[in-house]
């Protein structure tokens, strides 16, 4: 079956829908946060209200990635059919310089970009949520923040999953003085199952945010304490960074694909360009005919994603740093030239993709949530501290700081040696945002109705995860549950392997790929998708990835009983 793809990057008005009311739905990686979102919908909030409330709730109940001290991407399809991309990603502090993470001898001090105060970018989460509310919110701001306050103040109950997660990070928490008093008992052990875990400092911060909006993260005591802690810890955050931070509305990318429109994020997200390029490369390959598990499908998908990663790493960064336009990367003539030599039976080694540096290692903690409401609006939001607990330093206000600075090309000198443009496009520059793999998408059907809301954590595997869920649902015709749960694989440009989850590639399939020259590697979990899909009968189906322990809820029309999936 032919995949037809055309691309337009102008921010666009969608169809003004005269559509029947839809069900509201929420999917996130943490059940209390999902319940908060559902409650806001039931109170008459719109999808944006619910998403803001989920974001704050995750900062309490999913502290590995949920955050006040990080940033992310908030993609909106509103009830009037308009589409928006709100970028609340962190920026490099004003004092940042391209050699920030280099030692005196010019070698890279990778650790300093990943752990400790120096690794932290200026957080965008609170200004971002504030801007979302100013622009699209319906319920009062306070009503959206207070559920998170209650979860922090009164505590939330630690279940077996939470305990397991906390045990995995016990050593990190033990080293952080404030965090250890919150997350661990007096003996430095994780609290037992059933404990009501309270976070008083965070509750205090949330109360101030509920009452004063974004102001506490702009100036005043909290910012002063934070800047002092940063200085004491060798960081470079300054009061003006918080005052000057701006969340940004950016162009929504609209990828026309198989009669649908995929709404995706433009740079500093690599999501829209990646999906546009990968889907274009797959044009003309009969994926549906071959089937989901056919060696040719796997091989050609790897070829497509390796090419798209090559361009991502070479060309993309903060839009202000980029030397090429998004349009030029999606130009049909250029895309045709990228497809040349692509075969479903021949492995292309990285050397033939061009010389691009290996993307930095991105660890497994970010989170995505999806929300729809009964008026046809949707929010697809991916938010992150980057690494597990970000820089692993806790602000005096009781929340972790990101280590998003590690998403920059931290060693411009070395990057230049392999690829000058990449280095310039994603160098550490004061005020700029690091390139991101976060890829929230919303899919609209021909009538402009929301057909799917999809996203995932996983560093570079976010891109291949979202692509595979799209293909699973819309090419292979899988059910929502299967589209999300089906085992996944990942290939970027370097390293050259196809990495696969257990059960994804049979030994016969692996041996076929091996014969075609494709290096293969087994790995564990890829991604954690929280998604919403429209079913044929018009009902919405929310799905939380079985790889994690999130929750998905659908609210039937007219606010009757909430259905858990
Ligand atoms: O923005 C990015 O691309 C990374 N900071 C995302 C990191 C991530 O997804 C970690 N994973 N689970």
């Amino acid at each position: 079956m032919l995949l037809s793809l055309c691309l337009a990057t102008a921010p666009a008005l969608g169809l003004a829908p005269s559509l029947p009311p839809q069900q509201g739905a929420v999917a996130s990686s943490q059940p209390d946060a999902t319940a908060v979102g559902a409650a806001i919908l039931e109170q008459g909030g719109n999808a944006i209200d619910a998403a803001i409330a989920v974001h704050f709730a995750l900062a309490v109940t999913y502290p590995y990635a949920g955050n006040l001290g990080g940033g992310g991407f908030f993609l909106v399809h509103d009830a009037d059919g308009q589409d928006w991309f709100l970028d609340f990603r962190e920026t490099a502090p004003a004092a940042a310089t391209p050699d920030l993470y280099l030692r005196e001898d010019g070698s890279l001090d990778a650790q300093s970009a990943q752990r400790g105060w120096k690794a932290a970018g200026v957080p965008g989460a609170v200004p971002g949520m504030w801007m979302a509310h100013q622009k699209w919110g319906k319920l009062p701001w306070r009503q959206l923040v207070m559920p998170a306050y209650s979860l922090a103040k009164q505590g939330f109950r630690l279940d077996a999953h939470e305990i397991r997660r906390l045990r995995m990070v016990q050593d990190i928490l033990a080293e952080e003085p404030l965090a250890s008093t919150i997350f661990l008992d007096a003996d430095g052990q994780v609290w037992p199952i059933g404990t009501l875990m309270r976070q008083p400092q965070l509750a205090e911060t949330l109360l101030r945010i509920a009452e004063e909006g974004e102001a506490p993260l702009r100036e005043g005591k909290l910012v002063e304490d934070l800047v002092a802690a940063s200085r004491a810890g060798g960081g470079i955050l300054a009061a003006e960074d918080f005052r000057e931070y701006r969340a940004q509305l950016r162009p929504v990318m609209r990828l026309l694909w198989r009669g649908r429109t995929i709404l995706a994020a433009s740079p500093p997200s690599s999501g829209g360009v990646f999906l546009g390029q990968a889907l274009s490369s797959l044009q003309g390959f009969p994926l549906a005919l071959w089937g989901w598990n056919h060696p040719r499908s796997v091989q050609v998908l790897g070829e497509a994603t390796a090419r798209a990663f090559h361009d991502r790493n070479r060309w993309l960064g903060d839009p202000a740093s980029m030397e090429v336009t998004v349009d030029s990367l999606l130009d049909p003539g250029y895309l045709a030239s990228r497809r040349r030599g692509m075969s479903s039976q021949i492995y292309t080694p990285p050397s033939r993709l061009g010389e691009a540096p290996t993307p930095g290692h991105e660890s497994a903690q970010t989170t995505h949530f999806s929300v729809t409401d009964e008026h046809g609006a949707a929010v697809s939001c991916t938010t992150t501290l980057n690494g597990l607990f970000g820089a692993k330093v806790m602000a005096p206000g009781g929340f972790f700081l990101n280590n998003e600075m590690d998403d920059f090309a931290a060693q411009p000198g070395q990057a230049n040696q392999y690829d000058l443009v990449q280095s310039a496009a994603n160098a550490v520059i004061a005020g700029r945002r690091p390139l991101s793999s976060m890829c929230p998408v919303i899919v609209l059907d021909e009538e402009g109705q929301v057909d799917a809301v999809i996203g995932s954590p996983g560093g570079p595997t976010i891109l291949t995860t979202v692509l595979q869920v799209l293909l699973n649902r819309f090419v292979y015709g899988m059910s929502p549950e299967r589209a999300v749960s089906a085992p996944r694989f990942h290939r970027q440009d370097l390293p050259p392997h196809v990495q696969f989850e257990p059960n994804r590639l049979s030994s016969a399939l692996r041996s076929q790929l091996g014969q075609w020259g494709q290096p293969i590697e087994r790995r564990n979990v890829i991604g954690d998708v929280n998604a919403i899909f429209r079913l044929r009968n018009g009902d919405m189906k929310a799905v939380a990835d079985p790889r994690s322990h999130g929750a998905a809820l659908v609210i039937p029309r007219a606010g009757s009983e909430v259905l858990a999936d």
Side-chain angles (χ1 to χ4, degrees), residues 8-21:
T9 54
L13 288 176
L15 301 176
S18 54
L19 304 168

Side-chain angles (χ1 to χ4, degrees), residues 105-165:
D105 66 2
S107 63
L108 177 66
D109 179 6
Q111 186 68 2
S112 69
Q114 292 168 12
R115 189 158 186 166
W117 283 95
K118 199 169 156 185
V122 184
V126 176
M129 291 307 107
W130 178 249
M131 184 162 166
H133 184 255
Q134 298 283 107
K135 213 155 167 40
W136 307 292
K138 182 171 153 204
L139 296 183
W141 168 258
R142 195 173 197 282
Q143 197 171 332
L144 311 181
V145 185
M146 286 311 274
Y149 164 75
S150 302
L151 285 164
K153 174 85 177 165
Q154 287 153 23
F156 71 101
R157 249 181 231 290
L158 295 178
D159 62 17
H161 300 312
E162 216 56 57
I163 301 286
R164 205 172 312 130
R165 277 192 194 123

Side-chain angles (χ1 to χ4, degrees), residues 89 362-366 384 386 404 407 436-438 457-459 462:
R89 187 153 171 83
E362 292 164 289
S363 60
Q365 292 302 331
T366 293
T384 186
N386 192 20
E404 223 67 55
D407 277 351
S436 173
S437 297
M438 290 188 289
I462 293 172

